[in-house]
Structures are given as C-alpha cells and as structure tokens.
C-alpha cells in the first residue's frame, strides 16, 4: 500500500496547541501514516524566528513525543539557505516510492500567498495541497490562483488519488492561540500553561526562552 505522508511547516516559535490540534485532526481525517512537522530555518516570507533553530526543533520533538503519527523532521534546519517548500518536497520525494502520497498542509493565508513562493507552480508535481480553512474565513482566492483551483480543486479531500497534483480544503475551527500571543505573555512574565504542551513549557522555562531581555 502506498504511504500517506503529511507535511506541516512553520517556524514553531514556539510550537503550541493550535498547531498540534490542527495537525492531529488532519492526520486522523486523512488516515495519514505520518504527519511531519518541519521547523523552518530561514522563512523567506517573514522575519527571523526569535529563538534559535536547535531550541525550536527540540520543542517540536518534545511536543510530538508519543503522539503518533505526528513526528518532527529537521531537514530544513540542515540547509544553509532559506526554507523553500519546493526543495523540501523534492528532498522528500527522493526518499519515497513513486506512488506514495504527499500532502502539503497550508493555512488559508499561506495558500493565498502561494504565487509569491519560490517555484510555486511546481509544488503540485510533488504533492497534493490541503488547505485549512475556517468556516468564517473570506474564501475568495486571489485571481492568480483561480485558474489553478478551477483545474485542480477536489471537493472531498478523502477522494484525492495518486501521489500528488490536486488541491482540497479541510474546514477547521482553529484554537484562538498564536505564537505571537505566547511570546508576548512570556516576555511579560505571564503564564502560558495549557497554551503549549507541558514538556514544551518546562523547556522554555529551563532555558529562559522568550524573556523580555532576549
């Protein structure tokens, strides 16, 4: 049977329950064999992460320990260049069987920004794209994506076939938590208990991360 592997990238600065709950819901719904959380080293479309890559990687590893099929993948942190998704997909494809399915998981905002991504028009050669969309989100895609959606969109993500090439949407009501909110609370000395896994919180405190002086 072909493997079904999801990839979910981000700075994870820090990883929090919103990331993990979304990932688990997708993994369960899509019956994924693996869902790899891939911390980015130098994201091309945003500022540098506040915390160093080894700390962010360790926090994700702690967060997904004993939480199969979630796991951590450090390949983007091993590259001495910006974290381009096309490079990650090509790297993964080289390790997989030809009929294994890859699912790139993106939030709605990230999906709408695809035309600014490096070699974005090649992504679907390597994977399917699953877009996480809120029921209350503005669902109007930018004009540059409308032809692509018309040609490649599948209404039911459970019917995606083959190793890649199609786009589908998964409706979620995400938890109202953000990494920015968590960093702000920590910098002001306030508790973030229950916003991040306990093991991640212990690591943050043990290493003095996100303090106002950092």
């Amino acid at each position: 049977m072909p493997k079904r592997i999801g990839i979910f990238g981000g700075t994870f600065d820090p990883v929090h329950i919103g990331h993990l709950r979304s990932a688990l819901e997708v993994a369960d719904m899509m019956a994924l064999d693996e869902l790899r959380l891939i911390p980015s080293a130098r994201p091309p479309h945003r500022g540098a992460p506040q915390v160093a890559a080894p700390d962010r990687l360790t926090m994700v590893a702690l967060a997904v320990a004993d939480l199969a099929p979630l796991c951590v993948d450090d390949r983007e942190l091993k590259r001495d260049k910006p974290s381009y998704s096309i490079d990650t997909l090509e790297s993964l494809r080289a390790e997989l069987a030809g009929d294994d399915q890859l699912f790139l998981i993106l939030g709605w905002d990230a999906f709408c920004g695809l035309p600014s991504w490096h070699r974005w028009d090649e992504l679907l050669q390597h994977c399917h794209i699953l877009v996480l969309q809120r029921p209350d989100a503005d669902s109007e895609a930018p004009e540059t994506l409308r032809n692509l959606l018309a040609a490649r969109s599948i209404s039911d993500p459970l019917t995606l076939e083959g190793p890649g090439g199609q786009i589908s949407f998964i409706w979620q009501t995400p938890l109202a938590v953000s990494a920015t909110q968590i960093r702000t609370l920590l910098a002001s000395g306030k508790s973030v208990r229950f916003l991040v896994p306990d093991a991640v919180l212990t690591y943050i405190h043990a290493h003095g991360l996100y303090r106002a002086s950092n």
Side-chain angles (χ1 to χ4, degrees):
M1 288 288 292
K3 289 183 180 178
R4 296 167 60 82
I5 297 174
I7 57 174
F8 185 22
T11 53
F12 301 119
D13 190 26
V15 64
H16 57 67
I17 60 169
H19 298 133
L20 299 169
R21 185 64 210 169
S22 289
L24 271 178
E25 287 183 8
V26 173
D28 287 345
M29 176 183 177
M30 299 297 296
L32 299 180
D33 296 297
E34 294 178 8
L35 197 160
R36 303 187 184 192
L37 277 67
I38 305 183
S40 56
R42 292 164 52 194
H45 299 289
R46 59 193 299 175
Q50 183 171 328
V51 162
D55 288 318
R56 292 185 290 112
L57 177 66
T58 299
M59 287 189 285
V60 176
L62 289 169
V64 300
D66 302 317
L67 199 59
L70 272 56
C71 59
V72 64
D73 185 317
D74 67 351
R75 72 186 61 228
E76 292 194 357
L77 300 181
K78 293 177 178 178
R79 292 193 209 122
D80 186 25
K81 61 180 182 178
S83 299
Y84 292 126
S85 293
I86 187 66
D87 295 332
T88 298
L89 289 168
E90 288 179 338
S91 171
L92 279 163
R93 268 285 161 224
E95 300 170 4
L96 299 175
D99 58 351
D100 287 342
Q101 291 185 297
L102 264 180
F103 300 91
L104 175 62
I105 300 163
L106 301 176
W108 174 247
D109 290 343
F111 176 71
C112 288
L114 271 188
S116 68
W117 288 27
H118 180 59
R119 293 166 57 198
W120 74 279
D121 54 343
E122 299 175 36
L123 295 174
L124 287 172
Q125 296 176 20
H126 305 285
C127 67
H128 296 298
I129 293 177
L130 297 176
V131 184
L132 307 181
Q133 193 169 15
R134 296 168 54 130
D136 59 347
D138 178 2
S139 59
E140 190 69 21
E143 189 171 350
T144 48
L145 289 176
R146 287 177 199 161
N147 288 340
L148 181 68
L149 282 171
R152 300 295 189 97
S153 184
I154 300 294
S155 60
D156 183 355
L158 297 178
T159 64
L160 292 169
E161 297 180 346
Q166 297 171 316
I167 301 167
S168 196
F169 292 81
I170 294 180
W171 295 89
Q172 289 191 322
T173 303
L175 298 171
V177 54
S178 72
T180 301
Q181 169 197 15
I182 290 168
R183 292 194 300 268
T184 299
L185 288 169
L186 287 166
S188 61
K190 295 178 180 176
S191 174
V192 296
R193 184 96 191 271
F194 307 122
L195 296 178
V196 299
D198 286 347
V200 172
L201 182 59
T202 298
Y203 185 89
I204 287 171
H205 288 325
H207 294 266
L209 304 181
Y210 305 111
R211 290 178 179 168
S213 59
N214 282 359

